[in-house]
Amino acid sequence: MLLIAGLGNPGKQYEKTRHNMGFDVVDELIDRHEIPQAGIAHKALYGKGIIGGEKVIVEKPLTYMNLSGESVREFIDYYKMDPETEMIVIYDDIDLEPGQIRIRKKGSAGGHNGIKNIIAQLGTQNFYRIKVGVGAKPKGWDLADYVLGRFSSKEREVVDAAIQDAADAVEMIIEKGIDAAMNHYNGSGKKKKEE
């Protein structure tokens, strides 16, 4: 079984904001694979289904971004999963241009409060993650205002394509493994940046 956690903030006012990329990718996976909603548990909206022949739980934490790790840890504990091999976290990244995605096996929080909280709750930073680019904040902008803002219609087009790519990447990780997905999405044509 695999946990797929998409990070974001609950509530209408946060829909389609830069900080809700994880929610948007999980919604895409739910639609594609017709994953039934199981309701609310472990501080999240969640569903159970099958992707690529594998049982999955998809979740959107309802804790707000900064406490995402509380919900993730509850799922990991309840289902006795190994976060280092049985979890994929999807979230926004201001260090990537809109439309880019990047896959990692592990890494620091890089200033992302949702990831910071997951690392603190799980006691490891070794977990698979898919980062969806939202672009750097403009000079003089407050970071919170920027990530809670929405994309221009032109940006939205490339971001919608990136949401599709990120959902494809989840499928590839499940079917072919993390290395295959990293080779495919982090390589040619997409700007490569090692951490």
Side-chain angles (χ1 to χ4, degrees):
M1 192 182 272
L2 190 72
L3 177 66
I4 301 165
L7 305 191
N9 288 305
K12 278 263 184 269
Q13 70 271 40
Y14 297 112
E15 282 177 10
K16 302 292 181 198
T17 58
R18 292 180 180 90
H19 227 16
N20 272 33
M21 289 293 95
F23 277 19
D24 291 348
V25 175
V26 162
D27 286 340
E28 173 62 24
L29 289 166
I30 287 168
D31 288 347
R32 273 187 200 187
H33 298 278
E34 298 177 353
I35 296 172
Q37 294 290 333
I40 296 174
H42 308 295
K43 302 176 183 160
L45 270 173
Y46 80 107
K48 289 179 177 178
I50 306 276
I51 298 177
E54 187 80 30
K55 283 185 183 170
V56 298
I57 294 171
V58 292
E59 72 141 324
K60 300 194 293 185
L62 297 174
T63 55
Y64 293 95
M65 184 62 83
N66 296 0
L67 298 176
S68 300
E70 292 182 5
S71 170
V72 169
R73 195 195 75 236
E74 286 190 23
F75 275 101
I76 291 290
D77 289 351
Y78 185 81
Y79 290 98
K80 297 180 173 51
M81 295 178 185
D82 178 353
E84 299 193 356
T85 58
E86 297 176 315
M87 176 174 83
I88 303 170
V89 180
I90 307 160
Y91 60 101
D92 60 291
D93 190 331
I94 60 169
D95 293 327
L96 295 173
E97 290 300 311
Q100 286 191 313
I101 71 166
R102 190 72 68 250
I103 301 169
R104 293 278 178 258
K105 289 182 183 176
K106 59 184 181 182
S108 69
H112 193 286
N113 288 332
I115 296 299
K116 203 178 287 181
N117 190 251
I118 291 173
I119 291 169
Q121 289 284 340
L122 296 179
T124 181
Q125 56 181 19
N126 300 336
F127 52 84
Y128 302 164
R129 73 273 309 264
I130 300 173
K131 308 191 241 189
V132 182
V134 298
K137 79 175 177 70
K139 203 171 173 170
W141 276 56
D142 176 70
L143 181 59
D145 289 343
Y146 178 69
V147 295
L148 295 177
R150 289 180 172 81
F151 297 98
S152 68
S153 52
K154 191 176 163 194
E155 281 177 329
R156 190 75 233 181
E157 284 177 29
V158 294
V159 166
D160 283 343
I163 289 166
Q164 300 290 326
D165 285 346
D168 292 345
V170 169
E171 293 166 354
M172 187 178 274
I173 290 169
I174 291 170
E175 290 166 19
K176 297 183 178 173
I178 185 93
D179 290 327
M182 287 173 71
N183 289 339
H184 183 80
Y185 287 100
N186 297 354
S188 59
K190 316 229 194 267
K191 202 167 70 188
K192 204 164 185 179
K193 188 186 99 178
E194 289 309 320
E195 291 185 342

